């Protein structure tokens, strides 16, 4: 049973920022017996505190609601769902008419900062615990990795955000102003460099699923490419490619199978961990809701019959090259046959062209209600190749990096030259890399971030989404057009009300 396959039972401690994990399913720690006075004493306490920092990744503030928005706000998908106000929080994002009370805005901010402060507690308390030195370093490295991950999401989404490097102990320490983006990124880099030094290269047994040094190295590569530090990004991507021992699955679809989770011999560098069994309508438990929410609406292929959110846009579907096997692994198209023999319809409520996301589909096997066991890969080796290609450009190294990804996409041997390879004279190599990211990482919640980091170019958010809105209008579909303010989201109104030191992003 991996770390993620342990059911986490939240308990309050100090500022209400720590959750502990029981060793047995549904066995919860009593909330009235854990305090600063009797916790953070043992190695097991350190491990539980570290596990608690992971737990926010599985919830609504991260991969069980908020992160879904970043394909809808890009040119991959529209909201879907039912008519009327169904999914109104996503429709506001899709329309780029986003109030500061939007639930996604609130949950991403709140969940990420809970994760930050849980990591801060580990970094503050664990150094004083008498425990095995290697496990202590591991716990500290995991907390550094997780704090960096949460802040990377926060700074990309909101811009300047309050920077906490220790848990606040007074209201004055809570209500601090926003820290400039450059300083937040500097802390993210510092945390990841430290994490690389503290974390092991791999795990086995019950520890599979924890962050490794290669997860931290891969995230640092992604941070650097986001900042435009291409030389630094290339160094980190090369390190992962050459040192991690990871290889790409020959079959792209194998990345998204429950049976292949946490497989140290293959592609995944870090996964958000899910397990089924709660049998509840609750996105803050330990199961993923994407099987149900993204499943074809009313098709009776999931426990709740499917809700049909995140509907692939027609030009996204039509943009696949002939023979690209990622298409059949990523989306349902009309005529696709479901496990029970039924067929995907050509038109459904919320999906006028008959498209749905397949990538997170588990069906009715081994799952209950909003409770899929399918992990979400946050970092994969394929992305390291694409980061390397983007960083070094169309030289021999960059071409080989992107072509490995393309060869796998067409079911070809990864290491042999092919007719699908891009050449040095490929027009606009940067656009080619971004296009490859669009299809390789589709519905892995990266596209909006890619568009916004290239704003000011033809590959940027505003020109791409302006053209997208015009295209969809010809099909009778209305969606919003972003402006400069939509390069970040608004800060939650509840946070502005509570903290007079915060100022809203311009235009909101």
């Amino acid at each position: 049973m991996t770390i993620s396959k342990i059911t986490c039972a939240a308990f309050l401690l100090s500022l209400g920022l720590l959750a502990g994990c029981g060793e047995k399913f549904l066995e919860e720690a009593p909330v009235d017996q854990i305090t600063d006075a009797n916790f953070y004493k043992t190695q097991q306490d350190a491990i539980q505190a570290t596990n608690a920092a992971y737990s926010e990744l599985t919830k609504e503030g991260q991969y069980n609601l908020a992160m879904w928005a970043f394909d809808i706000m890009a040119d991959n998908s529209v909201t879907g769902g039912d008519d009327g106000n169904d999914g109104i929080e996503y429709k506001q994002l899709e329309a780029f008419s986003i109030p500061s009370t939007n639930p996604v805005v609130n949950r991403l901010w709140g969940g990420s900062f809970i994760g930050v402060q849980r990591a801060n507690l580990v970094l503050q308390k664990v150094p004083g615990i008498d425990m095995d030195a290697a496990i202590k370093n591991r716990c500290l490295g995991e907390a550094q990795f997780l704090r960096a991950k949460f802040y990377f999401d926060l700074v990309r989404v909101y811009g300047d955000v309050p920077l906490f490097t220790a848990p606040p102990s007074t209201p004055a320490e809570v209500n601090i102003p926003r820290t400039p983006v450059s300083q937040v990124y500097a802390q993210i880099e510092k945390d990841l460099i430290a994490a690389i030094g503290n974390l092991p290269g791999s795990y086995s047994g019950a520890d599979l699923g924890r962050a490794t040094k290669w997860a931290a190295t891969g995230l640092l590569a992604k941070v650097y490419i986001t900042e435009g530090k291409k030389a630094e990004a290339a160094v980190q991507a090369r390190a992962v490619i050459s040192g991690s021992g990871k290889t790409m699955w020959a079959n792209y679809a194998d990345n998204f199978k429950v049976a292949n989770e946490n497989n140290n011999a293959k592609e995944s560098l870090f996964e958000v961990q899910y397990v089924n069994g709660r049998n509840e309508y609750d996105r803050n438990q330990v199961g993923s809701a994407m099987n149900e929410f993204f499943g074809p609406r009313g098709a009776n292929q999931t426990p709740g019959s499917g809700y049909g959110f995140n509907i692939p846009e027609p030009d996204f579907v039509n943009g696949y090259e002939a023979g690209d096997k990622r298409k059949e692994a990523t989306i349902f198209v009309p005529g696709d046959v479901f496990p029970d023999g039924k067929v995907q319809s050509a038109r459904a409520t919320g999906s006028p062209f008959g498209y749905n996301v397949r990538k997170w589909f588990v069906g009715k096997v081994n799952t209950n209600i909003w409770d899929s066991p399918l992990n979400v890969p946050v970092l994969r080796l394929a992305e390291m190749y694409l980061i390397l290609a983007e960083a070094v450009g169309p030289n021999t190294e960059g071409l080989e990096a992107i072509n490995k990804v393309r060869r796998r996409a067409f079911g070809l041997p990864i290491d042999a030259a092919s007719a699908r390879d891009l050449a040095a004279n490929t027009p606009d190599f940067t656009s080619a890399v971004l296009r490859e990211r669009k299809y390789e990482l589709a519905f892995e919640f990266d596209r909006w971030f890619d568009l916004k980091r290239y704003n000011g170019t033809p590959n940027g958010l505003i020109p791409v989404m302006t053209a997208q809105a015009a295209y969809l209008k010809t099909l009778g579909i209305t969606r919003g057009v972003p402006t400069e303010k939509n390069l970040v989201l608004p800060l939650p109104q509840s946070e502005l009300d509570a903290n007079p030191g915060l100022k809203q992003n311009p235009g909101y």
Side-chain angles (χ1 to χ4, degrees):
M1 182 176 288
T2 69
I3 174 181
S4 64
K5 311 305 184 187
I6 297 171
T7 298
C8 288
F11 60 85
L12 299 179
L13 180 67
S14 184
L15 296 174
L17 300 173
L18 176 65
C21 293
E23 288 297 327
K24 294 183 179 179
F25 189 67
L26 294 180
E27 198 170 277
E28 300 192 357
V31 299
D32 60 346
Q33 297 179 16
I34 300 173
T35 69
D36 266 336
N38 62 19
F39 201 69
Y40 301 114
K41 302 295 185 185
T42 69
Q43 180 168 293
Q44 184 60 26
D45 292 346
I47 293 170
Q48 286 186 331
T50 306
N51 290 352
Y54 282 98
S55 68
E56 280 304 311
L57 294 172
T58 68
K59 297 180 180 179
E60 289 185 339
Q62 283 268 314
Y63 288 89
N64 236 359
L65 182 144
M67 299 301 286
W68 306 350
F70 300 116
D71 285 301
I72 291 169
M73 293 176 67
D75 55 342
N76 282 2
S77 61
V78 292
T79 299
D82 203 346
D83 298 325
N85 288 329
D86 192 27
I88 186 64
E89 64 270 37
Y90 295 109
K91 290 177 180 177
Q92 292 171 347
L93 294 161
E94 174 191 316
F96 295 102
S97 179
I98 310 167
S100 59
T101 55
N102 178 278
V104 173
V105 167
N106 281 266
R107 285 168 180 154
L108 181 64
W109 176 283
S112 298
F113 273 113
I114 290 172
V116 165
Q117 300 297 11
R118 287 177 177 172
N120 280 339
L121 280 166
V122 172
L123 293 168
Q124 180 188 71
K125 302 288 189 179
V126 168
I129 298 176
D130 183 13
M131 58 186 288
D132 179 84
I135 295 179
K136 177 182 286 189
N137 286 340
R138 187 194 79 187
C139 290
L140 296 175
E142 290 174 278
Q144 289 157 341
F145 169 84
L146 290 166
R147 183 168 69 181
K149 198 279 181 205
F150 288 122
Y151 263 122
F152 186 42
D153 294 335
L154 285 164
V155 76
R156 289 186 297 166
V157 172
Y158 301 100
D160 300 347
V161 291
L163 180 60
F164 297 94
T165 56
S169 58
T170 68
E173 291 176 355
V174 172
N175 294 328
I176 62 173
R178 302 170 71 174
T179 303
V181 165
S182 60
Q183 294 180 36
V184 179
Y185 269 113
Q187 183 63 49
I188 292 169
E189 293 176 14
K190 180 179 178 181
D191 276 344
L192 289 172
I193 291 167
I196 291 167
N198 281 326
L199 291 169
S202 64
Y203 297 98
S204 61
D207 288 320
L208 280 171
R210 295 185 182 277
T212 67
K213 68 177 289 185
W214 303 115
T217 307
L219 184 56
L220 185 57
K222 189 164 186 169
V223 168
Y224 280 145
I225 202 69
T226 299
E227 293 182 274
K229 297 181 177 180
K230 292 186 175 183
E232 294 90 337
V235 169
Q236 302 304 320
R238 287 189 197 106
V240 175
I241 291 166
S242 64
S244 68
K246 297 292 183 180
T247 59
M248 289 199 298
W249 290 101
N251 178 9
Y252 174 79
D254 283 346
N255 283 294
F256 313 104
K257 295 179 179 178
V258 175
N260 294 337
E261 293 174 349
N262 301 319
N263 188 327
N264 275 358
K266 288 295 182 181
E267 187 166 342
S268 176
L269 296 167
F270 183 70
E271 301 175 10
V272 174
Q273 307 285 310
Y274 285 107
V275 61
N276 64 311
R278 277 286 200 182
N279 198 24
E280 294 183 37
Y281 292 99
D282 189 343
R283 287 179 294 203
N284 287 313
Q285 292 294 341
V286 293
S288 169
M290 284 195 289
N291 178 53
E292 193 66 65
F293 274 78
F294 290 14
R297 188 173 186 87
N300 198 31
Q301 301 302 308
T302 58
S305 195
Y307 301 160
F309 279 78
N310 280 55
I311 299 300
E313 295 189 357
D315 63 332
F316 170 81
V317 177
N318 296 331
Y320 280 98
E321 297 174 63
D324 189 336
K325 296 183 179 299
R326 293 175 298 195
K327 181 177 181 178
E328 62 193 60
T330 303
I331 56 175
F332 287 113
V333 300
D336 281 349
V337 180
F338 296 128
D340 65 358
K342 294 179 182 176
V343 175
Q344 171 81 356
S345 65
R347 184 180 181 89
T349 301
S351 183
F353 302 97
Y355 305 135
N356 289 101
V357 176
R358 184 200 289 262
K359 184 170 278 189
W360 309 114
F361 179 76
V362 177
K364 293 185 177 181
V365 179
N366 195 33
T367 185
N368 301 293
I369 316 299
W370 298 356
D371 207 8
S372 166
L374 184 59
N375 289 353
V376 177
V378 175
L379 294 163
R380 297 192 279 113
L381 186 65
E383 185 175 11
M384 297 301 107
Y385 282 117
L386 294 177
I387 287 173
L388 181 59
E390 183 179 349
V392 303
N395 60 18
T396 300
E397 183 182 36
L399 287 166
E400 181 63 13
I402 192 172
N403 286 331
K404 284 182 185 293
V405 176
R406 286 181 56 77
R407 292 165 195 157
R408 194 263 296 273
F410 291 96
L412 301 170
I414 291 168
D415 294 321
S418 79
R420 296 291 185 173
D421 287 2
L422 300 182
N425 61 355
T426 298
D428 193 355
F429 185 72
T430 297
S431 294
V433 173
L434 291 174
R435 184 200 174 280
E436 212 61 44
R437 287 183 62 88
K438 178 179 180 178
Y439 286 97
E440 178 66 28
L441 304 174
F443 306 105
E444 295 176 52
F445 322 118
D446 275 295
R447 182 62 174 165
W448 182 72
F449 297 113
D450 283 346
L451 293 176
K452 75 192 258 3
R453 68 190 176 91
Y454 270 91
N455 202 55
T457 77
N459 293 310
L461 180 70
I462 294 173
V464 167
M465 296 309 295
T466 299
Q468 185 71 8
Y471 162 74
L472 290 175
K473 187 175 181 180
T474 68
L475 303 178
I477 299 172
T478 300
R479 73 164 302 153
V481 175
T483 62
E484 288 291 330
K485 77 174 187 178
N486 300 123
L487 295 173
V488 290
L489 298 187
L491 272 61
Q493 187 60 47
S494 58
E495 299 297 325
L496 296 169
D497 293 342
N499 181 359
L502 295 180
K503 302 298 181 185
Q504 183 59 277
N505 278 323
Y508 287 105

